[in-house]
Amino acid sequence: MREAKPVRAQLSLVDRFLPVWIFVAMGSGIALGQVVPAIGPALDAVKVGEVSLPIAIGLFWMMYPVLAKVRYGKLGEVVAKGRLFGASLFFNWVLGPVLMFGLAWLLLPDLPHYRTGIILIGLARCIAMVLIWNMLAKGSDEIAAVLVALNSVFQILFLSVLGWFFLSVAPGWLGAEQTAFHVSMGTIATSVFLFLGLPLIAGATTRGVLVRWKGEDWYENRFLAKVGPTALLGLLYTIVLMFAMQGDKIVRLPLDVVRIAIPLGIYFVVMFGAAFSISKWLGFSYEETAALSFTAAGNNFELTIAVAIGIFGIGSGEALAGVVGPLIEVPALLALVHLSLWLQRRLFSEGASGGVEQRSVDRGVEKACP
């Protein structure tokens, strides 16, 4: 029996050193903000909704190749997976907010502004960058896309209600001060449309038109081979700009950053571990388990920052908590990508992870993406 390659050897050169590129991007962004202090206000001068236009461009650039990869013809099969969607709703809209609320009060009892920002992060479920992590972990693109769409709908419908409950009602049960909270459905809908709707429309249109014109094989092995790797460039571009705009706060308040980082780090590990363990126990395949676990662990920091600035102001502690979020999430979820690939080898057989036939279909797509 041929000995399987270790996880690191399975990754491409780009993927193998992805942590290096991401930390370089984060450091470059902070350094750029320090050297050119005016860059933050300049980048934030033009906005789409509540988001800087350069950031919005980066998010589209990051998302489009991933959503162009999704096999939309399989979405009907995905929607039929009732247990999986039930599990996703539980992780994202029950366990996630409750866990973050508990960690915020447990670890930040003396810092109400940061505590509120942390709670907001727990309420804003991921609709963008999670597709990158799922792709790198070789989870199901189709399932991740549907779960992200489900999160988008729930954010539009319930974020205001959950924000009111966890900030204005639940603290009263602890005998603590309550926080007024109101955010319009329009703000949330705009965020969802920018970060998911536009790249989703572009990706689906591209696949539909090019597959009809050039065929499935050409699209999977030629077009995606050129377009897929640009998702990583979009990710690094977005990280550089994000930290250039907000990095001064991170440099000025290092101890505060550490206090905010502790509950976030615990949250990512616990959410991923719980989702992965329960998904495996429920008998889901590896591709399903990875997609469910990363969508459960990720959060929508763009929306958190927009809401925090809109309600509490750009210089608020709530906004700083939102800014620190990606600083912790990016390396944490990148580490979880490697853990997920390692667990695939240890816990899932060929059959459990989709079968030989499906893996052969996916292999051409994997070559196309970072």
Side-chain angles (χ1 to χ4, degrees):
M1 184 175 179
R2 185 172 56 184
E3 184 178 355
K5 294 181 180 179
V7 170
R8 185 175 177 82
Q10 296 180 60
L11 301 176
S12 69
L13 183 64
V14 173
D15 290 350
R16 199 175 303 171
F17 292 99
L18 186 55
V20 176
W21 314 140
I22 287 178
F23 280 112
V24 167
M26 292 163 62
S28 298
I30 293 174
L32 184 61
Q34 295 297 300
V35 173
V36 188
I39 193 170
L43 292 171
D44 207 32
V46 181
K47 293 187 176 183
V48 180
E50 294 294 328
V51 180
S52 161
L53 177 59
I55 292 289
I57 292 171
L59 290 168
F60 181 90
W61 180 9
M62 178 180 73
M63 295 302 301
Y64 167 72
V66 180
L67 290 168
K69 178 187 174 185
V70 172
R71 294 182 289 267
Y72 292 93
K74 285 182 165 285
L75 294 185
E77 302 173 17
V78 174
V79 172
K81 298 178 182 291
R83 282 199 314 159
L84 190 143
F85 287 115
S88 177
L89 290 176
F90 170 74
F91 289 130
N92 279 285
W93 299 102
V94 179
L95 181 60
V98 170
L99 175 62
M100 194 71 93
F101 178 83
L103 289 171
W105 276 97
L106 178 66
L107 298 172
L108 300 170
D110 56 328
L111 297 171
H113 299 299
Y114 296 156
R115 185 176 65 235
T116 296
I118 291 289
I119 293 171
L120 286 177
I121 292 172
L123 299 179
R125 313 311 301 168
C126 195
I127 63 171
M129 199 174 290
V130 67
L131 294 179
I132 292 282
W133 310 126
N134 175 71
M135 177 190 68
L136 291 172
K138 296 182 171 63
S140 168
D141 298 308
E142 290 74 32
I143 290 175
V146 173
L147 294 182
V148 160
L150 187 67
N151 279 344
S152 301
V153 173
F154 266 71
Q155 279 187 101
I156 293 172
L157 296 177
F158 297 116
L159 181 62
S160 296
V161 175
L162 290 172
W164 165 79
F165 175 78
F166 280 102
L167 295 176
S168 301
V169 176
W173 299 346
L174 303 175
E177 182 180 353
Q178 299 167 312
T179 302
F181 180 84
H182 174 73
V183 58
S184 70
M185 290 179 64
T187 298
I188 304 168
T190 299
S191 172
V192 170
F193 178 71
L194 288 175
F195 304 148
L196 178 64
L198 285 179
L200 177 63
I201 292 169
T205 302
T206 300
R207 174 175 278 276
V209 170
L210 291 183
V211 166
R212 280 195 297 270
W213 179 35
K214 304 287 282 186
E216 187 84 19
D217 183 71
W218 180 90
Y219 183 82
E220 297 281 1
N221 297 300
R222 297 288 296 277
F223 178 77
L224 287 181
K226 294 180 179 179
V227 173
T230 66
L232 175 58
L233 297 178
L235 172 65
L236 297 178
Y237 163 87
T238 303
I239 290 172
V240 169
L241 293 190
M242 186 180 298
F243 285 94
M245 293 174 66
Q246 304 289 348
D248 62 309
K249 297 178 182 178
I250 296 171
V251 172
R252 285 189 290 106
L253 302 168
L255 295 180
D256 288 14
V257 170
V258 173
R259 290 288 304 274
I260 295 169
I262 292 172
L264 287 175
I266 296 172
Y267 171 86
F268 293 133
V269 173
V270 171
M271 282 298 294
F272 181 87
F276 202 99
S277 300
I278 294 175
S279 298
K280 179 67 171 67
W281 177 71
L282 289 173
F284 296 151
S285 71
Y286 171 76
E287 286 78 7
E288 294 168 337
T289 297
L292 185 58
S293 301
F294 282 100
T295 52
N299 294 90
N300 186 352
F301 291 103
E302 299 82 11
L303 179 59
T304 301
I305 293 169
V307 169
I309 290 174
I311 297 176
F312 303 105
I314 193 168
S316 65
E318 292 85 353
L320 176 59
V323 170
V324 172
L327 177 67
I328 310 306
E329 184 189 49
V330 169
L333 289 194
L334 186 61
L336 291 175
V337 167
H338 288 266
L339 175 62
S340 185
L341 290 169
W342 182 83
L343 290 172
Q344 178 191 25
R345 293 282 306 282
R346 297 301 184 275
L347 301 180
F348 292 85
S349 66
E350 285 276 322
S353 60
V356 175
E357 181 180 350
Q358 182 61 53
R359 289 167 69 87
S360 66
V361 172
D362 290 341
R363 195 168 293 121
V365 182
E366 290 166 7
K367 292 177 182 178
C369 298

